[in-house]
Every structure is written in structure tokens, then in C-alpha cells.
Amino acid sequence: MITARKYGKPVGLLALLGVAIAFPLVFSDPTYTTIAVFALIFASAASGWNIFAGYTGYIALGHAAYFGIGAYALAIICQRYNIPGGWEPIYLIPLCGLIAGVFAIPLGAIALRTRRHTFIVVTIATFFIVQLMAFNLRGLTNGSTGLDMPIPFQWGAGYQGGNQSIYNLPFYFTALALTIVALAVSWFIRHSKYGLGLLAIRDDEDRARGLGVRTGSSKLSAFVISAIFAGMAGALFAYFIGSVQPQFDFDPLFDLSIALMTFLGGIGTRAGPILGALVLEFAQQWLTLYFTQDGLYLILYGVLFLVVILLLPRGVIPSLQELWAKGRARGRIGPLVLPVKTPVMSAGTTSPPTATRMTGQAGETAHEEVPR
Amino acid sequence: MTILEVRNASKAFGGIHALNDCSISVEAGKITGLIGPNGSGKTTLFNVITGYEKVDAGEVHYDGRTITNATPNKVFAMGIGRTFQLTRIFPRLSVLENMHVSAQRHSLRGLLGGWSRSNERQRALELLEFVGIAALKDAQAGNLSYGQKKLLEFAFILIAEPKVILLDEPAGGVNPTMINHLQSRIQELNKQGITFLIVEHNMEFIMQLCDTVTVMHRGTKIAEGTPANVRQNPAVLEAYLGD
């Protein structure tokens, strides 16, 4: 029982990783792999967004700005430095993420002077300012015409025709790598003191600050980290599509998508955004393909949004966890959280822990006495 | 020796003078009670000391330093911990996670390190044991009862090892058993040298626990002395019973 619980998780994760690696080799039809690439790009972006929005509770709806900055950064670098295509642009993706992150520092600092609804509005506003710049700074962005990306992989015989099942593979594995990195960073932050500070901010920011949590720098750094993931997703997206244009790379629907994905899967959880992204992106692409009607997924988004808010306000993952906990509790006696009565204590039965005990000889006492 | 002193503090909210040239002092190593009718400025005084409100005039001194209008985190780092009248814990974190939030570390290594291992966890568990809610360590803090939340807030203040603890109505809305329990914990900590300043409406609690009692009315101090003395002070009786 104990060993199953201890090893169950890593084994499960490894199995999932195996499935993810085998997927494009088994379902090599480019229709499927293309959908999978988009799904994973969104999964990495949603997972990165969740590090900020999920952990701190600040709902940012302007991350399309950083998605677009990442995309344009790659396009502009490739054009200025005559980068030929192939793997080189993929190696530049982290750099593009960092560029998006640099932009996020001042924009985040301004937006984070506000809270709650005002914060949401300010982030939306910063997005539209950046989009407007992409349209109008023609010398840099080529305006509404956009820029072309280098042709990715000659050996895949190009974007049109040829063997597309091979063509998609580098994109698929890059997107998978980004998703794994985003998940790993989420996990690492959730288990760090820094991440605990972010969660404390979500619950009661002023109280957290009063207890010594550095709220300002914590929020800003989390904002920048999430912008870096949006930027990397944008760069990969642009390279996959083959060109950048203001209306597609600075797309307000991007923010609605990643927010909805995160809410659907479970905001603040690690697996939630990934699950939400996989489900929604597959559904969207499938609807588009099946009904050959491009806007149909928007109706799906609307319906799902209502369903999530009405039935699963905390998302799929937390709801499942709750069911699981309830199921387990039914097997035992009594409720899961026992309403423990505070013991009547006479003064001095337990001596309060002293400073020396903390710094000096940790390791004695307490553990065994704690009822599980 | 005086460890905490407020000198001539004034604070107005619009036309209401919450603090009106108020001066109080707290002796190191003692338990000081702060009483007064509703609206007499007790909580505002707490807010002013701990940096949650800025004074319009006056000064706050602590341990030989001026801390007038310092930020809440600075005041906390200097060793003044406080609880709130309506407890402020982190409801969506577990009880143990709540404990770790207030034991902050500021080095980069400390920030990026895990919080669930180490001495800190040991100490958090000991403190939960000390206040009597160790069995609830994995429960979500928001699901605790009102009294348990108060104990949790008390415990996570202790983890930062404050020299002075300000308690805002610790016994309000708490059952008598738990009040006794809380009282014994306060006395135990006081024996170790921690100074307390306690706002409370439960007179029995104050009279049993406190070495000195300060009485506030209309934003200023009207009396000070031992519990027995204060109880017979005509100004105090007048403030409570009306003119």
C-alpha cells in the first residue's frame, strides 16, 4: 500500500511520458500530429500562465502580448541574421522567451500596482498597446503584412506536400519539451518557499506581506516567468505556422483560451492547465476539421465556460481529487477532517519549543506524538 | 523597562478621531491588558503599532528604536507579532503550510529550497503541538473551527520568535475550555520572557491574566494600573456605564 503510493506517481508520470513520446510515431498522420503540436504549445503556455495566475490569484489577460513578442522576436532575429531554418530557430526559442520576459518587467510592474478587476483591465490594455505597436512599427514588424519565417526542414520536403509526418516531428518534440519544462518549473515552485509565498498572496496578500513575504518582487518575478513561457510558446507557434502577422500572433483569443484551459483543468493545480489545454485544443481542432467551419469552436468555448463555472467552479482536477478523497473517506470511520476538540491542558504539560531547540537539536520529540 | 511605547498618537478617519493624543507604554516581560468600550480606539492602536495604519501625529518606540509608520513586514521582522480580531490565516493552504509562510527566509537559497523538510517543519509541528492543533496539520486551514483558526494564527506568529505579541480579542467567540487553554499557553510563553499586549472584552480573562491593565476611551488612555485598581477606578466605570 505504502510502496504503491510512493512509486505510483513517478511510474504513472513515466508512463504518460512514454505515451507522449510514442504518440506521433503511432499516429503519424499529419492531421493528428498537427493538432498535437498546437495542443502542446497551448499546454506549455497555459502551464506557464498558471504559475502566475493560478498561484497568485491575479488573473492576467494580456499574455498574448508576450506570446506575440516571442513570435516576432524569432521572426526578426531570423530575418536580420539570415538564419537559414532547420534546428537553429528552435535553439533560439529560449532567447525569444527571455526577450518576452524583459518586456514583461516594466509592463508587469505597472499592472501589478493594481489588484483584482483593475489588474485584469490593465493587462488587457497593455496587450492592445503592444498589438497596436506591432501594426504600426512598420520598420521593425512590417505592419499588417507581417514577416515570413525561414522554411523549417528541407528533409521534410517543406510545408506544402512532401512527407508531413516527418515535418511535424521536430515541432512536436520541441513543444513536448516546453510543456515538460513548464510542468517541472510549476512543480519546483509549488514546493519552494517562494511558491508558498505566492499561494499566501492569493489567500491574503496584506497578511502575507505583514508576515514578511516579499509580495512585490514575488508577484513580478512570477509574472515574468509566465511571460517567458508565453514568449517561447509564441516563438514555436510562429515557426510552425511559417509567418508572423499582428492579428494572429497578437490574438486576444489566446488569453481566453489559456485562461479557459486552466480553469477547465483546475487553476492552481499542476496538471490542470495541461489537461485543459489538451482537451480544449483537440476539441477545437476537431470541430474545425469536422465541420469545416472555423468559428465553431468559439461556441464550444462559450458553452464550456458556462459548464465550468456552473458545475466545476474549481476545475476538473480538484473535483476529481475531492471525489477520490470522499471515496477513500467512505471506507473509514468518520469524516476526512476530524473535528478535533482542543484538549484541556493544564499549564506546563507541554513546554513551548525554545529557540535553541529549533536551531540546535532538531530531530527529537513531536513527530511520534502527532496523530495521523 | 519599557519595551513598547506609543507617544501622543493621533489618528482620524474623516471626522472621527480614532486616536486622540494617546500615549501608552508596555513593560517588557509583562502581560498588559488593553480594555475599553467599543470604538475606543484599541484596534486602531494595534494597527498603528504594527504598521497597518499610519499615524497623523505622534510616535511609536520599540526596544530603543523609533518605528513610527514602519511597514508591517518591518515591524514583524523586528519582533512584534500580532493576531487579528477577525483571524487572518490563509484559508486555502494547509495548517502546516500556514506555519511555513510566516517563517520566511530571504536568501535566494532559502527561497528556492523546499519547505516541507528541515528543522523548520520540526519546529512548526512542535508549535502546533504546543497550541494543541497538531492533529489537524494536514487539514485545509479554511475548514478549521473559529477557535482553531485563532490557535493557528497564534502558532504561526510564534514561529517567527517575536519578543512582543499583540493579541486582538483572543477569547472572543471562543468556548470556555479553549479560553482556559489559551490562557495557560500565554502564561507559559510569558514565563519565557515574551511580552504580551492583549485587547479583550472578556473581563475575567483580563483580570486573571494581566499584570497591568490600560483603559482607553474615545481614543485616549483614561486609566492604568493593576486589574484590581482599574476595576474600582471611577473614570473607568463611567466610561463603561455611560455618563
Side-chain angles (χ1 to χ4, degrees):
Chain A
M1 179 66 191
I2 290 166
T3 46
R5 211 185 282 168
K6 197 172 174 188
Y7 296 110
K9 223 174 178 184
V11 168
L13 284 174
L14 277 178
L16 275 180
L17 183 64
V19 170
I21 290 172
F23 178 84
L25 310 172
V26 177
F27 299 93
S28 57
D29 183 337
T31 316
Y32 295 132
T33 49
T34 303
I35 293 176
V37 170
F38 283 125
L40 284 175
I41 288 175
F42 274 93
S44 70
S47 185
W49 185 76
N50 180 57
I51 291 173
F52 173 71
Y55 290 173
T56 67
Y58 277 74
I59 306 301
L61 291 183
H63 271 49
Y66 310 109
F67 184 84
I69 288 170
Y72 268 86
L74 186 61
I76 292 167
I77 290 170
C78 286
Q79 204 161 62
R80 293 282 152 95
Y81 298 97
N82 293 318
I83 289 167
W87 284 99
E88 269 176 65
I90 285 181
Y91 300 147
L92 289 170
I93 284 173
L95 176 68
C96 299
L98 286 179
I99 292 170
V102 168
F103 276 87
I105 296 170
L107 294 177
I110 294 167
L112 284 166
R113 295 177 64 89
T114 61
R115 289 185 188 184
R116 299 190 187 92
H117 312 86
T118 322
F119 175 78
I120 300 175
V121 173
V122 172
T123 53
I124 295 173
T126 54
F127 158 71
F128 279 108
I129 291 167
V130 176
Q131 189 199 39
L132 217 61
M133 284 163 73
F135 270 115
N136 291 298
L137 293 175
R138 293 206 182 85
L140 193 66
T141 65
N142 205 20
S144 55
T145 321
L147 298 164
D148 280 330
M149 284 287 182
I151 292 169
F153 295 99
Q154 303 294 346
W155 46 268
Y159 188 61
Q160 307 293 328
N163 191 348
Q164 275 221 5
S165 57
I166 304 177
Y167 175 90
N168 280 344
L169 283 183
F171 293 104
Y172 179 87
F173 286 110
T174 309
L176 182 62
L178 279 186
T179 306
I180 290 168
V181 171
L183 196 57
V185 171
S186 300
W187 186 90
F188 184 72
I189 288 180
R190 179 64 183 82
H191 285 84
S192 73
K193 198 93 189 181
Y194 164 67
L196 193 62
L198 297 178
L199 294 173
I201 289 171
R202 180 191 66 184
D203 275 9
D204 187 341
E205 182 168 348
D206 293 323
R207 184 56 158 148
R209 184 154 177 267
L211 293 173
V213 176
R214 298 201 169 164
T215 51
S217 55
S218 296
K219 284 187 294 181
L220 185 59
S221 53
F223 187 84
V224 170
I225 290 168
S226 70
I228 290 172
F229 281 107
M232 293 200 289
L236 182 61
F237 178 85
Y239 191 36
F240 187 54
I241 295 281
S243 65
V244 289
Q245 279 166 323
Q247 61 270 44
F248 296 128
D249 293 280
F250 290 99
D251 184 357
L253 278 178
F254 170 81
D255 274 294
L256 288 187
S257 303
I258 56 172
L260 184 53
M261 287 161 181
T262 309
F263 277 109
L264 175 70
I267 189 160
T269 63
R270 276 147 288 169
I274 306 227
L275 180 76
L278 297 183
V279 169
L280 270 191
E281 194 61 24
F282 272 101
Q284 176 198 326
Q285 299 284 349
W286 183 80
L287 281 179
T288 311
L289 278 173
Y290 223 75
F291 296 98
T292 59
Q293 195 68 256
D294 199 29
L296 209 61
Y297 74 92
L298 289 174
I299 298 171
L300 171 82
Y301 273 23
V303 171
L304 256 177
F305 204 73
L306 286 176
V307 169
V308 169
I309 285 175
L310 289 175
L311 300 178
L312 304 166
R314 290 164 53 218
V316 172
I317 298 262
S319 302
L320 285 179
Q321 278 171 343
E322 219 163 72
L323 276 179
W324 165 249
K326 266 186 200 157
R328 273 202 351 202
R330 221 170 279 145
R332 294 191 222 146
I333 310 156
L336 189 66
V337 178
L338 297 164
V340 171
K341 265 190 247 151
T342 318
V344 192
M345 290 219 188
S346 49
T349 41
T350 335
S351 69
T354 56
T356 47
R357 209 193 266 180
M358 182 189 109
T359 49
Q361 324 129 338
E364 39 164 5
T365 71
H367 263 308
E368 303 79 30
E369 300 156 29
V370 181
R372 275 201 158 262
Chain B
M1 193 196 85
T2 303
I3 189 164
L4 181 65
E5 192 181 8
V6 179
R7 277 185 216 151
N8 309 103
S10 291
K11 172 78 190 172
F13 298 102
I16 299 160
H17 293 272
L19 289 180
N20 200 353
D21 200 26
C22 179
S23 300
I24 70 151
S25 61
V26 177
E27 289 288 301
K30 294 267 168 67
I31 302 177
T32 305
L34 185 61
I35 61 171
N38 287 322
S40 57
K42 304 181 297 288
T43 297
T44 306
L45 188 72
F46 266 28
N47 286 342
V48 159
I49 294 170
T50 51
Y52 284 83
E53 307 267 14
K54 290 193 156 77
V55 286
D56 299 332
E59 289 170 355
V60 183
H61 295 274
Y62 163 69
D63 208 10
R65 282 174 290 184
T66 307
I67 57 162
T68 319
N69 296 341
T71 53
N73 45 328
K74 284 216 178 95
V75 176
F76 184 69
M78 281 178 181
I80 303 181
R82 78 171 285 190
T83 65
F84 286 82
Q85 190 175 347
L86 300 165
T87 46
R88 285 175 74 172
I89 52 157
F90 302 101
R92 282 185 282 179
L93 299 181
S94 77
V95 167
L96 204 51
E97 284 171 333
N98 265 274
M99 298 294 292
H100 287 288
V101 170
S102 56
Q104 281 293 319
R105 293 193 223 99
H106 286 309
S107 67
L108 197 61
R109 238 183 109 197
L111 272 178
L112 297 180
W115 43 266
S116 54
R117 322 172 245 282
S118 78
N119 299 352
E120 197 180 295
R121 181 188 166 89
Q122 181 79 20
R123 178 157 165 76
L125 286 169
E126 283 170 4
L127 283 168
L128 288 175
E129 191 83 15
F130 174 65
V131 299
I133 54 170
L136 296 164
K137 67 186 168 63
D138 295 320
Q140 207 180 355
N143 292 340
L144 301 188
S145 75
Y146 187 67
Q148 287 164 343
K149 281 180 190 160
K150 289 207 170 222
L151 292 174
L152 172 60
E153 193 181 30
F154 189 42
F156 76 53
I157 293 301
L158 290 176
I159 204 168
E161 298 183 355
K163 286 187 219 155
V164 179
I165 297 178
L166 278 55
L167 301 175
D168 200 346
E169 296 198 21
V174 175
N175 70 55
T177 317
M178 207 181 270
I179 291 178
N180 287 338
H181 170 58
L182 187 67
Q183 200 170 328
S184 78
R185 302 296 88 179
I186 292 171
Q187 280 163 339
E188 190 68 41
L189 291 163
N190 182 242
K191 263 185 221 157
Q192 295 191 356
I194 297 181
T195 307
F196 281 88
L197 178 62
I198 302 173
V199 165
E200 186 49 66
H201 285 296
N202 181 332
M203 283 305 144
E204 202 187 333
F205 185 80
I206 288 283
M207 296 300 162
Q208 282 176 13
L209 198 60
C210 297
D211 302 306
T212 59
V213 176
T214 301
V215 188
M216 282 181 75
H217 185 47
R218 294 193 181 131
T220 195
K221 183 175 78 181
I222 56 166
E224 186 178 30
T226 62
N229 274 341
V230 164
R231 210 198 295 238
Q232 276 138 26
N233 188 315
V236 175
L237 293 174
E238 199 180 294
Y240 270 96
L241 301 174
D243 315 291

